[in-house]
Amino acid sequence: MKIKNTKSLCPECGRPVDAEVYDEGGKVYIKKTCSVHGEFINTYWNDVETYDRVRDYEPSITSVENPSVDDISTCPSNCGLCSKHETSTVLGLIDVTNRCNLKCPVCFANAAASGRLFEPTQDEIRQMLKNLRSLKPHPTPAVQYAGGEPTVRKDIVELVKMAKDEGFTHVQIATNGLKLAMKENLAKELKDAGLNTVYLAFDGVTPEPYINNRGRDLLPYKLDAIENCRKAGLGIVLVPTLIKGVNDHQVGDIIKFAFDHNENIYGVNFQPVSFAGRTPSDQVEKQRITIPDFIQIIEDQTDGDVKTTDFYPPSSVEPIAKFIGALEGGEPTVTLNCHQHCGIATYVFREKTEGSGKDKLIPINDFIDVDGLFKKLDELAEKLKKGGFGRKQRVLASATKAIPKLIYSDKTPKNLDVKRIILNVFTKRSYSALGDFSKDAMLISCMHFMDPFNFDEDRVKKCVIHYATPDGRIIPFCTYNSMYRENVEEKFSTTFKGSKN
């Protein structure tokens, strides 16, 4: 049965083509035909019931008021952002180099493979930072330096400080961790410069996934990098690239590892492999892991502690941003209004169980009526918008009375005063209270980035993760890696003459 019509890409030539998303046999597929290369049918989501459940969390539209390019072509042929785009930039990405100290077969970018060196100057990077911060009405709040491997740049610490100087409240780097492992002081230098988070590639708890995904056993380096960041007080999010048959059997073990090191690891963001790199196209369906596959793996490997229904799309938390924005007297400055089929997440707590040999994992909606909370916050936000004398005080009083009723005290993890924390977060906008919550929780998430095989224009229009480029454009993540990366790097690169590490 047809679900919708959209635009996609031909996996062979990259041209935009009409596409249909439909369900058949309990799964969701995307089908398109290129006039030159024929028909392509690929998996979109592996479970239509989950697809339908998530579809209900329709995100809002917050277009930028100052698009960088004119709307002169069909989407996605003129990204930059244009006026067709329906979200602002929540996380800006800047590739600071395409050099790397590894040669991973699953990577988007590599200087040695392309024969070209893409490495923007500090002046170019500063201008890209300014472009992200100049977006209206909401300047980009967070930036991630990526690559290549950003730590091979000798000025990476300066670049972190530069991002802070330009006004970003959150700065992170995506790294393989080799430099952090081998140079003990680097983590402290980055922390002192203002780095908030290390996005650490982490494919498993045994050597085999690294040998397959990265070409060598990197686990000892990962452990050293985590320890050096711990000493520096630098937070980490683990980022496993999931490939079916390679490391999907280690999902539960990776989560356990994260909890065992939760002094400075506070999240795991699983990323099923996207076939925009050098993975052979004939392996796409064999290796594809969709979001329903991922959450089923979680349920299976946590013995049912964390169920598929415990996960929500990022757009589900919009009521939180709207309520806090209304308390501040306006619209939210940041909201995760990405397309509801781009990702999925939940907060999980761990409770030690003496004598059983197994710790219990407790997802947040085991002890909080999450949907009820979202609905109540929406109601309260609407009341705040009406204004009037004493309105704010009455709404806060109502929140103080209503929110505790949405918490199941008998199921709350031990030593977690969740009522106090939630009330302080929502009625006092207490970031320290939010810290009290997150230090005991692990954010388990999955972002399924698109490639030319499952490319969906509807998702692109609602992307909130955007690359800034040296020519002034700001391009959605999946479009950049599927269509634009090669041209941008060629335009702003020089001949690669070997390692500068």
Side-chain angles (χ1 to χ4, degrees):
M1 182 178 69
K2 184 171 80 171
I3 294 174
K4 66 175 184 178
N5 292 321
T6 186
K7 287 279 188 182
S8 189
L9 300 176
C10 171
E12 294 292 333
C13 63
R15 290 192 305 171
V17 293
D18 292 332
E20 178 183 317
V21 176
Y22 65 97
D23 70 274
E24 183 177 288
K27 298 182 179 182
V28 181
Y29 297 93
I30 185 166
K31 175 174 67 176
K32 63 276 190 93
T33 301
C34 173
S35 59
V36 177
H37 298 102
E39 184 179 73
F40 298 87
I41 298 177
N42 290 97
T43 304
Y44 191 104
W45 272 42
N46 246 339
D47 179 62
V48 69
E49 289 186 11
T50 306
Y51 179 95
D52 289 339
R53 177 175 69 85
V54 170
R55 186 164 50 172
D56 291 339
Y57 294 92
E58 184 73 27
S60 64
I61 294 175
T62 54
S63 301
V64 296
E65 296 173 357
N66 54 335
S68 305
V69 298
D70 295 329
D71 179 11
I72 58 174
S73 183
T74 57
C75 183
S77 298
N78 191 43
C79 281
L81 297 166
C82 79
S83 58
K84 284 194 179 84
H85 202 77
E86 298 177 352
T87 58
S88 191
T89 308
V90 174
L91 174 64
L93 298 181
I94 296 178
D95 277 349
V96 295
T97 183
N98 69 338
R99 287 188 293 129
C100 190
N101 42 17
L102 291 173
K103 295 179 182 179
C104 304
V106 297
C107 186
F108 289 121
N110 187 287
S114 67
R116 307 290 296 177
L117 175 64
F118 174 79
E119 196 156 287
T121 66
Q122 284 196 9
D123 287 343
E124 288 173 326
I125 291 171
R126 186 178 290 278
Q127 186 57 54
M128 286 186 270
L129 293 169
K130 289 181 179 294
N131 293 342
L132 290 167
R133 291 294 296 164
S134 67
L135 289 176
K136 296 178 181 179
H138 304 307
T140 304
V143 67
Q144 175 178 289
Y145 288 135
E149 171 53 46
T151 60
V152 303
R153 283 191 64 136
K154 295 179 180 178
D155 61 351
I156 187 61
V157 174
E158 296 174 53
L159 296 181
V160 169
K161 186 177 185 304
M162 181 189 296
K164 283 294 186 179
D165 291 343
E166 291 298 332
F168 288 90
T169 56
H170 188 91
V171 181
Q172 60 189 44
I173 59 170
T175 177
N176 58 36
L178 265 65
K179 289 281 186 179
L180 286 167
M182 294 184 291
K183 186 180 177 183
E184 186 174 357
N185 290 334
L186 180 58
K188 184 178 186 306
E189 292 171 7
L190 290 167
K191 171 76 172 178
D192 291 345
L195 189 71
N196 300 96
T197 303
V198 171
Y199 237 52
L200 180 67
F202 190 90
D203 293 336
V205 296
T206 64
E208 290 78 15
Y210 299 99
I211 294 171
N212 184 88
N213 288 3
R214 313 297 172 182
R216 55 190 283 204
D217 177 15
L218 299 175
L219 184 57
Y221 295 97
K222 306 295 180 179
L223 300 178
D224 287 345
I226 291 167
E227 175 60 14
N228 288 339
C229 288
R230 185 196 66 79
K231 292 176 182 176
L234 194 52
I236 290 175
V237 171
L238 301 181
V239 187
T241 299
L242 284 185
I243 302 178
K244 189 180 293 184
V246 174
N247 61 348
D248 54 328
H249 63 290
Q250 292 198 12
V251 168
D253 291 331
I254 292 171
I255 293 172
K256 181 181 184 302
F257 177 93
F259 271 110
D260 288 343
H261 296 80
N262 67 351
E263 184 176 342
N264 68 315
I265 295 177
Y266 53 79
V268 188
N269 184 16
F270 293 90
Q271 296 182 359
V273 66
S274 174
F275 302 101
R278 300 197 297 276
T279 303
S281 60
D282 61 359
Q283 296 183 25
V284 169
E285 287 300 300
K286 178 182 177 182
Q287 295 185 3
R288 176 77 75 194
I289 295 176
T290 69
I291 286 174
D293 297 320
F294 165 75
I295 58 177
Q296 186 61 58
I297 290 170
I298 293 278
E299 180 170 317
D300 293 343
Q301 295 186 18
T302 62
D303 297 327
D305 281 355
V306 185
K307 300 174 289 298
T308 61
T309 50
D310 292 328
F311 286 86
Y312 291 78
S315 55
S316 67
V317 301
E318 276 203 75
I320 297 174
K322 289 178 180 178
F323 174 70
I324 293 177
L327 277 178
E328 301 291 347
E331 295 296 321
T333 57
V334 180
T335 180
L336 288 175
N337 57 333
C338 66
H339 194 277
Q340 61 268 48
H341 292 116
C342 286
I344 207 150
T346 190
Y347 272 104
V348 177
F349 294 76
R350 183 171 70 169
E351 194 168 87
K352 291 284 187 180
T353 306
E354 297 297 332
S356 70
K358 178 183 177 297
D359 297 328
K360 182 174 177 57
L361 298 181
I362 306 173
I364 188 172
N365 51 323
D366 270 13
F367 58 92
I368 296 178
D369 179 356
V370 173
D371 284 309
L373 177 63
F374 292 157
K375 182 179 179 181
K376 176 57 64 176
L377 291 176
D378 266 336
E379 292 174 2
L380 295 174
E382 288 302 313
K383 289 181 179 180
L384 283 167
K385 288 179 182 178
K386 292 178 181 179
F389 180 77
R391 173 74 64 176
K392 183 174 180 180
Q393 287 72 22
R394 291 198 299 274
V395 167
L396 287 175
S398 178
T400 302
K401 183 178 179 180
I403 288 176
K405 295 179 181 179
L406 301 170
I407 299 170
Y408 314 131
S409 299
D410 58 324
K411 297 182 179 180
T412 301
K414 297 174 184 176
N415 304 318
L416 181 69
D417 188 354
V418 69
K419 288 184 179 180
R420 177 188 62 81
I421 291 172
I422 294 295
L423 284 173
N424 283 340
V425 169
F426 291 126
T427 63
K428 299 179 181 178
R429 284 88 73 204
S430 169
Y431 291 103
S432 62
L434 191 59
D436 290 340
F437 174 82
S438 60
K439 74 180 181 181
D440 293 314
M442 189 68 62
L443 178 63
I444 308 299
S445 60
C446 175
M447 289 298 293
H448 192 185
F449 296 115
M450 294 185 293
D451 50 55
F453 297 92
N454 62 1
F455 192 93
D456 177 4
E457 179 190 287
D458 292 343
R459 281 184 55 186
V460 168
K461 287 182 177 180
K462 288 183 168 65
C463 176
V464 298
I465 304 175
H466 304 152
Y467 278 93
T469 63
D471 56 11
R473 288 182 292 172
I474 297 171
I475 302 175
F477 184 101
C478 295
T479 314
Y480 184 74
N481 285 312
S482 295
M483 297 179 65
Y484 291 96
R485 174 182 290 280
E486 186 175 342
N487 289 337
V488 169
E489 292 189 356
E490 183 176 352
K491 181 179 179 180
F492 294 96
S493 65
T494 58
T495 300
F496 183 60
K497 298 179 180 179
S499 176
K500 286 185 177 182
N501 294 356

